[in-house]
Amino acid sequence: MSQRDYYEVLGVSKTASADEIKSAYRKLAMQYHPDRNPGDANAETMFKEAASAYDVLSDPDKRARYDRFGFAGAQGNAQGFTDINDIFSHFSDIFGQGGGGSIFDAFFGGQGGRSRGPRSMGEPGADLRVRMPLTLEEVASGVERTIKIRRWTSCDTCSGSGAAEGSGGTTCTACNGSGEVRQVSRSMFGQFINVAPCANCGGSGQVIKNPCIPCKGEGRVEGEGTVSVTIPAGVRTGNYLEVPKEGNAGRRGGPAGNVIVVVEEQEHELFERNEDDVYTDVTVNFSTAALGGDIEVPTLFGPHTLSIDAGTQPGTLLRMKGKGIPHLNARGAGDQYVRFNVWVPTSLTSKEKSALRDLTSSKHFTPEPDGRHRSLFERFKDVFS
């Protein structure tokens, strides 16, 4: 069976907003939910297919790669769901933190706003964003970096629990350990459920009566650490990498956030980048341009010898295949284009001036008529095309 387009699966356009994608997925999840279709293998397949589509289209980076490269771009980044429980745990924003026992718990938080039971962990830690400036040479070759960051770390004294030694937390009576307070109201339009973090326990589901002194009951303290990052060749400004669980520690044993490393490509004094191609200007003297020969050209990977033909004109553009930026997550690389300028000496000896005067009388040193009568626009077009 061929794989269907993710937009087709959810029944939305390619310009659909995040809210439209989420709404479409909720409708399909309701329609094909296992509780509504017990024993229906086709419904289960549709349920998993919708979840895979939502996993890609709800993530801006995955969606951008999918829009550009199709399924090949999403490969390795899309979640392949083979188990129903994986879907409930992966999309906690859709199905709730407690998983998906019944369809009513999944979408309405239980009949009448029932509590989902005690939480097993504290609040998750926040992600950290780090800027990574890279030279064009580092972009071309890839690089490994170790960065130092300031972050919340788990408290060693209480092992992240937030409670003093010999004590522990008790289940919050206000939310029954769920960390949330749900209020159900009815109107002529139907039933509305408002969910908010519990003010009594701060959303953790636990009340610490005897807090740890060093972390003041938070389960975490300010600290610093190092993170190793491998940047692949071919990245560009705006690309980012996630280092899982290296961000801020969560409160009272909650899972740590991620470190998000954002690439910033620095300007280069010799090269200009256009997609994966690079451009550079090389100046040669008059005699080399007239007679041709081998010259040394800088590349992102070191000097390279390039042969130029006799009579090379200013603005001539030569391509050096494969000397550009490697393609990200693909084979091959872009090209390097060399634009030639001819250097004109500004100070000459009497002997050199005499030799040049003798040469100017030669027909080979007289500009061709076609070159004289071409428009300024046409000449510039040749130089910069």
Side-chain angles (χ1 to χ4, degrees):
M1 181 177 176
S2 60
Q3 194 170 7
R4 289 202 296 158
D5 176 70
Y6 286 146
Y7 292 100
E8 179 186 344
V9 170
L10 296 185
V12 298
S13 69
K14 291 190 175 183
T15 58
S17 66
D19 288 340
E20 289 173 331
I21 289 172
K22 186 172 183 178
S23 176
Y25 173 56
R26 286 175 65 94
K27 290 178 181 178
L28 290 174
M30 286 282 286
Q31 180 180 351
Y32 296 112
H33 194 286
D35 285 356
R36 280 192 169 181
N37 305 273
D40 189 335
N42 181 63
E44 181 176 331
T45 298
M46 299 293 285
F47 188 70
K48 293 175 182 176
E49 185 181 43
S52 296
Y54 179 70
D55 175 59
V56 171
L57 300 185
S58 63
D59 183 293
D61 189 50
K62 292 180 183 178
R63 182 178 179 181
R65 288 196 295 269
Y66 176 72
D67 287 344
R68 186 174 181 185
F69 303 110
F71 294 112
Q75 187 177 9
N77 296 290
Q79 178 79 24
F81 294 107
T82 57
D83 187 88
I84 295 295
N85 292 324
D86 289 341
I87 299 175
F88 293 128
S89 60
H90 189 73
F91 299 125
S92 59
D93 63 327
I94 297 290
F95 297 109
Q97 298 285 349
S102 80
I103 192 168
F104 299 103
D105 288 332
F107 290 98
F108 302 109
Q111 300 176 25
R114 220 169 25 188
S115 169
R116 293 175 305 192
R119 287 190 172 189
S120 59
M121 302 187 74
E123 296 178 29
D127 293 339
L128 290 175
R129 293 177 67 87
V130 179
R131 295 184 299 108
M132 176 73 72
L134 297 177
T135 65
L136 209 53
E137 286 86 356
E138 291 172 329
V139 167
S141 62
V143 66
E144 292 187 6
R145 288 275 185 86
T146 298
I147 54 178
K148 190 174 183 179
I149 56 174
R150 292 195 60 82
R151 62 187 175 188
W152 289 99
T153 61
S154 180
C155 177
D156 292 332
T157 303
C158 64
S159 300
S161 70
E165 186 177 359
S167 65
T170 58
T171 300
C172 175
T173 56
C175 64
N176 293 326
S178 70
E180 296 176 347
V181 176
R182 296 172 177 239
Q183 293 181 335
V184 182
S185 59
R186 297 181 182 276
S187 72
M188 61 182 294
F189 299 105
Q191 177 176 284
F192 292 89
I193 301 175
N194 181 52
V195 182
C198 176
N200 187 52
C201 64
S204 68
Q206 297 283 312
V207 175
I208 305 295
K209 293 185 177 180
N210 188 16
C212 170
I213 295 176
C215 68
K216 300 178 182 178
E218 286 280 311
R220 60 184 184 177
V221 294
E222 291 186 359
E224 41 180 54
T226 57
V227 176
S228 296
V229 182
T230 300
I231 307 292
V235 295
R236 65 180 66 247
T237 295
N239 288 160
Y240 66 89
L241 296 89
E242 288 192 17
V243 185
K245 300 180 180 179
E246 291 289 347
N248 286 314
R251 291 183 68 243
R252 300 178 184 175
N258 303 327
V259 171
I260 301 173
V261 181
V262 182
V263 172
E264 289 187 355
E265 186 181 307
Q266 297 176 318
E267 285 191 21
H268 201 283
E269 62 179 356
L270 296 179
F271 301 101
E272 297 176 17
R273 180 178 183 176
N274 180 21
E275 297 297 333
D276 288 337
D277 295 332
V278 293
Y279 290 77
T280 187
D281 288 292
V282 172
T283 301
V284 296
N285 59 41
F286 170 79
S287 58
T288 301
L291 300 174
D294 292 339
I295 62 170
E296 190 175 85
V297 174
T299 75
L300 293 171
F301 309 97
H304 182 83
T305 300
L306 182 65
S307 295
I308 63 173
D309 295 332
T312 295
Q313 300 298 307
T316 297
L317 201 64
L318 294 184
R319 184 178 72 158
M320 301 170 66
K321 188 174 178 60
K323 293 296 183 180
I325 306 291
H327 302 316
L328 181 63
N329 298 326
R331 294 182 179 179
D335 302 322
Q336 176 171 326
Y337 290 87
V338 181
R339 292 175 293 215
F340 286 97
N341 299 312
V342 176
W343 178 73
V344 177
T346 57
S347 98
L348 298 171
T349 65
S350 298
K351 185 177 180 180
E352 291 167 338
K353 290 178 181 179
S354 176
L356 285 176
R357 290 191 184 100
D358 292 339
L359 290 174
T360 56
S361 62
S362 170
K363 67 177 182 178
H364 299 296
F365 280 79
T366 302
E368 297 179 1
D370 288 344
R372 287 199 305 267
H373 296 293
R374 294 170 68 205
S375 70
L376 182 64
F377 171 77
E378 289 174 324
R379 281 179 280 168
F380 269 98
K381 184 178 178 181
D382 280 350
V383 171
F384 295 105
S385 62

